[in-house]
Amino acid sequence: MKTILIIEDEQTISRVLSVYLKHEGYEVIQAFDGTEGLKLFHQHVPNLILLDVMLPETDGWNVLQSIRKNSSCPVIMLTALGDIDYKLKGLNQGADDYISKPFIGEEVVARVNAVLRRSARGLATENTRQFGSLKINLDSHAVTISDENVLLTPKDLSLLLFLAERPNRTFTREDLIASVWGMDYDGSDRAVDLAVKRIRQALAAWPVSQGEIKTLRGLGYQFSVYEK
């Protein structure tokens, strides 16, 4: 049984989400402030986190940053803030999805199911890919540069795997949305740009002489590798 950690200070909302998720077959853990949420996260190692932005003690942004320091656990942000800047901030800091309040329980369950499907897609493989100092272990899902671990969110890892398995081929945003995010994704293709930006930052120690993720203006993205 997969475990969902809800970090939400409005207890009524948290209880409603818990009921819907338990009905779907998930185990649910609840925290009502950011500090408690981080404690429960480390204790229980959940499969996914529903994280409110406006939290007492430690706000959602700081909770997300703390989680991303040592974990790629999927995170869906919950907030009453509908401004696009807040949405982009969450995605840029490594959130896997974003839901604005008010929402209905069925929507949240659908988003949870979709994020968990995406995080598992394409990861159960048996090969290792190596491009100079960059190594991608497709069994353990580990990415290293010169044997140093590279931390990626599940979605970003799925995108990197897709590109790395098809080096020197160009894909449009629409190609990547369909292949990595899936046909059930109904968000903006801006998510591709943000994911590529995060991957580039994570791979900063990978020498450009060995490879890079290129932007081909008007065409899309390419995982370019260079033969010596």
Side-chain angles (χ1 to χ4, degrees):
M1 180 182 295
K2 292 183 178 179
T3 301
I4 309 297
L5 171 60
I6 302 173
I7 309 177
E8 165 64 67
D9 63 318
E10 296 186 47
Q11 296 194 21
T12 300
I13 292 177
S14 184
R15 284 197 297 267
V16 169
L17 291 175
S18 178
V19 169
Y20 275 94
L21 291 167
K22 287 180 179 178
H23 181 74
E24 189 72 8
Y26 294 110
E27 179 181 354
V28 177
I29 303 167
Q30 295 168 278
F32 301 106
D33 64 63
T35 301
E36 180 187 19
L38 284 172
K39 180 180 178 180
L40 293 178
F41 165 72
H42 291 296
Q43 288 178 347
H44 296 276
V45 191
N47 298 98
L48 182 142
I49 301 168
L50 290 172
L51 175 61
D52 187 31
V53 170
M54 305 302 290
L55 292 169
E57 301 293 335
T58 304
D59 69 23
W61 304 124
N62 288 322
V63 171
L64 178 61
Q65 289 176 346
S66 295
I67 289 170
R68 284 291 171 259
K69 287 179 180 178
N70 54 25
S71 174
S72 59
C73 177
V75 176
I76 298 177
M77 305 295 289
L78 305 173
T79 182
L81 300 171
D83 192 296
I84 188 64
D85 290 338
Y86 286 101
K87 181 174 183 178
L88 293 178
K89 180 178 179 180
L91 294 173
N92 207 30
Q93 289 187 359
D96 294 84
D97 204 349
Y98 187 106
I99 303 176
S100 296
K101 300 175 184 177
F103 46 73
I104 60 174
E106 290 88 350
E107 176 191 7
V108 177
V109 170
R111 296 285 191 95
V112 166
N113 291 338
V115 168
L116 287 174
R117 284 196 302 270
R118 292 199 299 266
S119 69
R121 185 180 291 130
L123 300 183
T125 57
E126 299 179 351
N127 300 311
T128 297
R129 298 285 186 268
Q130 185 155 2
F131 309 95
S133 59
L134 172 64
K135 181 185 291 185
I136 304 172
N137 187 314
L138 303 181
D139 293 331
S140 65
H141 316 150
V143 177
T144 61
I145 298 175
S146 301
D147 295 323
E148 293 291 328
N149 290 329
V150 175
L151 184 63
L152 294 163
T153 68
K155 184 188 303 181
D156 294 351
L157 178 59
S158 295
L159 177 57
L160 177 60
L161 292 178
F162 179 84
L163 292 171
E165 289 184 310
R166 300 160 181 83
N168 300 319
R169 289 176 56 186
T170 303
F171 297 93
T172 66
R173 291 183 180 88
E174 291 76 14
D175 292 333
L176 297 174
I177 287 289
S179 299
V180 178
W181 276 255
M183 298 305 294
D184 56 356
Y185 179 74
D186 61 358
S188 168
D189 62 5
R190 173 72 171 152
V192 176
D193 301 331
L194 292 172
V196 169
K197 179 180 178 181
R198 291 193 300 268
I199 293 170
R200 285 171 172 160
Q201 291 172 341
L203 301 183
W206 186 34
V208 175
S209 60
Q210 297 175 3
E212 61 182 321
I213 299 179
K214 276 187 175 180
T215 300
L216 301 179
R217 189 177 298 275
L219 296 175
Y221 292 108
Q222 181 186 106
F223 185 85
S224 299
V225 293
Y226 310 118
E227 300 291 340
K228 290 189 174 182

